[in-house]
Amino acid sequence: PTALPTETAAPTSTPAATMEPETVEPIQVDPEELESGAVTVPILLYHHVSDTIQSQYAVTIASLEAQMNWLYENGYQTITVSDLAELIREGGSAPSRPVIITFDDGYLDLYDNAYPILRKYGFVGTAFIIGETVDTRSNLSSEQLQELLAQGWEIGSHSMHHTDLTNGIDWEEEIVTSKAYLEEKLGIEILTFAYPYGEADAGVMDYTYSAGYTSAVGLGSSVTHDRSTLYFLNRKEIKSWYGLEFFEEFMPWSD
């Protein structure tokens, strides 16, 4: 994970809402009615989307475009993490091939590079934001987060300072205060949490539940989730070297 910036500055990117987005024909799929309980939904995890950052956590713009096109061509439709939690608890209507696309940390390249590509395919994501980075250089601003919300995205907490919670310290600051801080900034309820480094033990998960979150995400390869995993939903990290063969192997449905 990248060191956190501390210098504040006004964002310099052009608001995506002012640009006419390229779009494709929306997927027309009849939704399915699911009973509560186990739900199959692959959850993908991205960090940077950039052509200039050299890191295993950075996928290129062309790679993300190809990956989103693969999902579109294979009939996937996006839901959010909170949608999944509700399906597990209550059941309800869902796409026949749902997928959840998440982005951690709140980097500005999510807005500049990933957001327009997802909009093109009619997709939305869940962005997990580190509280202290909002409105700082190279990270998302409150206004940009509000725009994502207006377009159907979900915003979740990724802690206040990206601290390893399994050390047993600062849980209130990282889990409770980050929630309240983002809620005040954005004027919404924050329902879901992403554990820093994907690490959580039973104590951390219990505390997250007690803090009022309805779900939380970690790391893992399972694409089927149920009540027992609501506070450690598995997400698959998308690394810089992953090609489309990864999607063919990992994703549960393909044409």
Side-chain angles (χ1 to χ4, degrees):
T2 308
L4 298 175
T6 56
E7 183 179 359
T8 59
T12 57
S13 60
T14 301
T18 65
M19 301 178 287
E20 187 66 28
E22 182 183 1
T23 59
V24 298
E25 188 70 23
I27 300 173
Q28 301 296 330
V29 179
D30 292 333
E32 296 183 349
E33 289 298 320
L34 302 180
E35 295 184 357
S36 62
V39 180
T40 297
V41 184
I43 308 177
L44 307 179
L45 166 57
Y46 294 88
H47 290 86
H48 283 289
V49 178
S50 171
D51 290 342
T52 59
I53 296 172
Q54 301 300 312
S55 166
Q56 66 174 334
Y57 299 108
V59 302
T60 64
I61 296 170
S63 291
L64 184 70
E65 166 73 36
Q67 291 162 8
M68 295 303 102
N69 182 71
W70 188 95
L71 293 175
Y72 173 82
E73 293 292 338
N74 283 273
Y76 285 83
Q77 293 176 294
T78 51
I79 64 173
T80 67
V81 173
S82 288
D83 290 336
L84 171 58
E86 185 173 354
L87 288 169
I88 292 171
R89 286 191 169 96
E90 307 292 340
S93 180
S96 58
R97 293 185 176 185
V99 63
I100 297 173
I101 304 170
T102 71
F103 296 85
D104 276 8
D105 302 333
Y107 300 119
L108 184 59
D109 55 51
L110 183 163
Y111 183 85
D112 287 343
N113 301 330
Y115 171 41
I117 293 173
L118 267 66
R119 285 186 75 185
K120 171 182 175 180
Y121 292 101
F123 293 164
V124 297
T126 298
F128 288 103
I129 306 301
I130 302 170
E132 71 172 356
T133 68
V134 179
D135 296 317
T136 65
R137 184 182 297 276
S138 299
N139 292 277
L140 293 169
S141 69
S142 300
E143 291 76 14
Q144 289 163 339
L145 291 171
Q146 291 282 8
E147 182 181 337
L148 293 177
L149 288 166
Q151 293 296 322
W153 284 57
E154 178 177 30
I155 305 300
S157 172
H158 194 30
S159 79
M160 198 68 186
H161 310 290
H162 206 274
T163 299
D164 184 349
L165 301 174
T166 60
N167 291 331
I169 57 175
D170 297 328
W171 287 359
E172 182 173 359
E173 171 76 3
E174 300 301 319
I175 299 172
V176 177
T177 301
S178 67
K179 184 178 192 295
Y181 181 77
L182 290 172
E183 288 177 343
E184 182 178 359
K185 277 270 187 181
L186 302 176
I188 61 166
E189 186 176 10
I190 299 295
L191 298 176
T192 191
F193 186 82
Y195 302 112
Y197 310 105
E199 298 287 343
D201 54 28
V204 172
M205 288 187 275
D206 286 345
Y207 196 93
T208 303
Y209 166 79
S210 299
Y213 294 95
T214 61
S215 63
V217 296
L219 299 177
S221 297
S222 176
V223 297
T224 300
H225 318 273
D226 58 30
R227 290 179 183 273
S228 70
T229 63
L230 268 171
Y231 289 88
F232 202 89
L233 298 167
N234 278 211
R235 295 189 296 168
K236 187 68 173 178
E237 283 187 295
I238 307 303
K239 300 294 183 64
S240 60
W241 60 83
Y242 286 2
L244 293 183
E245 66 276 4
F246 161 82
F247 280 73
E248 294 280 0
E249 295 172 0
F250 175 72
M251 302 299 284
W253 309 286
S254 63
D255 293 331

